[in-house]
Amino acid sequence: MVAAAYHQAICFIANEGARDFLVTSSSGSLKMKPVFRKERCSLRQYVNCVKYSSESSLCAIKPIFSSLSSTNDSRRTVLCDLVLFKALFPAAESYLILIRHGESMWNEKNLFTGCVDVPLTSKGVDEAIEAGKRIRHLPIDVVYISALIRSQMTAMLALTENHCKKVPIIVHDETEQAKVWSQIYSEGTEMQSVPVIKAWQLNERMYGELQGFNKLETAERCGKEQVYKWRRSYDARPPNGESLEMCLRRAVTFFKEQIEPQLSSGKNVMVVAHANSLRSILMYLDKLTAEEVIHLELSTGVPMLYIYRENQFIRRGSPLGSTEDGVYAYTENLALYKQNLLDEVLDEVSL
């Protein structure tokens, strides 16, 4: 019997005789479904296990029990003090998904892009959709994008594949008028939406006077070593541009101040950004040295998964090259979340 919180809902496992039931609560309603895993209670140091039948027990706060019966089932419905339960047992972990945008039209032409606002190619569109398929069963509560269109296109296309079917809505808070004009007044509609937050701090590194030039031609004109230094060193700046160190300063500061608190509160976050802003964030997450980060290569449109638990980031790699089940096997919460989604699909099919 184990208690856990996931996707801003409570779930725990109650065993009745030889059968286990997954008890979940969302928006104040409770559901019970059979599960096949049985574990000992890991919460005895916090609460007492209260007996409610000769062969079953349940970890809960101030439990009130009522029995339901039918010709097919004798499942028990459990009513808990959900507010107190949430306060004592916040989400054990949350999920961070990082994605570099799909191929842009200047990626295709091998041009220095930087902060020039260039859209995706058709290949980039396909990469964004494929990224969405790879993470379609992962819970997503909030999305962060850069101010550049290639990041925004990738995020929106990826989210169209998500199983939750929530509508991604870009948050406009540039002015008070923008806030009022874009406000959602239906609470039900808002609950079926995913906020998408734009942040210029997640923009690509600004390449200064190199922007728009072909990389190979620039190497021939300025020398391969010089161009390599501009592109891959930690602290060297292109003419009137940013170094990776400067990009890191803005991107990681934003991550610590805005994104990490969301993860701490139990929300699952997706960040769609750029090669150098993501390198900066990965340097922070994986505690990379300046020498290590400059050799870090990121493919376009490939999601990376991290688990955030007890103020620590645990790298779980990418779904690329492995089955989706393999990704979910990393944590019990993810496995429970996916199983719940599959059960809902089966329920819909059986209707």
Side-chain angles (χ1 to χ4, degrees), residues 34 46 48 75 84 87 167 173 231 262 310 337:
Y46 299 106
N48 293 321
R75 299 180 187 178
L84 183 56
V167 178
D173 56 3
R231 294 186 63 196
Q262 298 270 28
E310 297 179 351
Y337 178 79

Side-chain angles (χ1 to χ4, degrees), residues 99-101 113-114 116-118 145-152 199 202-205 247 271-280 298:
I99 305 178
R100 182 188 174 192
H101 63 80
T113 309
V116 180
D117 210 358
V118 179
I145 56 177
S146 78
L148 302 173
I149 190 65
R150 55 192 185 273
S151 162
Q152 298 168 21
L202 297 175
N203 280 7
E204 179 58 289
R205 173 185 171 194
C247 179
V271 178
V272 182
H274 307 265
N276 285 292
S277 54
L278 288 175
R279 277 194 187 98
S280 302
L298 300 179

Side-chain angles (χ1 to χ4, degrees), residues 177-192:
Q177 186 181 57
K179 288 181 183 179
V180 172
W181 284 24
S182 61
Q183 185 174 347
I184 301 171
Y185 289 92
S186 167
E187 184 177 343
T189 299
E190 187 172 17
M191 290 178 64
Q192 292 302 312

Side-chain angles (χ1 to χ4, degrees), residues 102-303:
E103 182 190 67
S104 75
M105 296 181 75
W106 277 16
N107 289 146
E108 183 183 44
K109 294 178 180 295
N110 200 29
L111 304 181
F112 284 102
T113 309
C115 289
V116 180
D117 210 358
V118 179
L120 301 181
T121 61
S122 58
K123 177 184 175 183
V125 169
D126 291 340
E127 288 176 337
I129 293 171
E130 177 61 23
K133 290 178 179 178
R134 294 183 188 281
I135 58 171
R136 65 184 179 274
H137 290 303
L138 290 177
I140 298 173
D141 299 309
V142 61
V143 177
Y144 286 88
I145 56 177
S146 78
L148 302 173
I149 190 65
R150 55 192 185 273
S151 162
Q152 298 168 21
M153 290 177 68
T154 301
M156 292 302 189
L157 288 167
L159 288 169
T160 61
E161 301 296 324
N162 197 269
H163 192 278
C164 72
K165 297 180 181 178
K166 290 186 177 181
V167 178
I169 297 179
I170 294 179
V171 175
H172 288 283
D173 56 3
E174 303 87 353
T175 65
E176 284 301 317
Q177 186 181 57
K179 288 181 183 179
V180 172
W181 284 24
S182 61
Q183 185 174 347
I184 301 171
Y185 289 92
S186 167
E187 184 177 343
T189 299
E190 187 172 17
M191 290 178 64
Q192 292 302 312
S193 305
V194 176
V196 181
I197 300 170
K198 288 192 295 184
W200 70 266
Q201 294 91 335
L202 297 175
N203 280 7
E204 179 58 289
R205 173 185 171 194
M206 204 276 279
Y207 268 103
E209 295 176 14
L210 298 183
Q211 291 182 171
F213 282 105
N214 182 277
K215 295 174 183 177
L216 292 178
E217 293 174 359
T218 304
E220 292 174 359
R221 185 174 66 255
C222 301
K224 292 182 180 180
E225 290 185 6
Q226 180 61 66
V227 171
Y228 182 83
K229 185 178 180 180
W230 284 333
R231 294 186 63 196
R232 286 292 181 264
S233 65
Y234 181 67
D235 54 4
R237 296 174 55 188
N240 294 317
E242 282 185 308
S243 64
L244 178 58
E245 183 180 22
M246 295 166 69
C247 179
L248 180 143
R249 197 176 302 133
R250 60 172 163 85
V252 172
T253 297
F254 180 83
F255 185 90
K256 289 179 178 179
E257 294 179 354
Q258 302 296 325
I259 298 176
E260 202 161 341
Q262 298 270 28
L263 295 164
S264 297
S265 71
K267 291 187 178 179
N268 305 298
V269 180
M270 182 171 82
V271 178
V272 182
H274 307 265
N276 285 292
S277 54
L278 288 175
R279 277 194 187 98
S280 302
I281 292 170
L282 290 171
M283 185 177 182
Y284 167 66
L285 299 182
D286 294 336
K287 299 178 174 60
L288 302 177
T289 65
E291 183 64 27
E292 289 172 327
V293 75
I294 63 176
H295 297 294
L296 184 62
E297 294 290 343
L298 300 179
S299 300
T300 53
V302 177

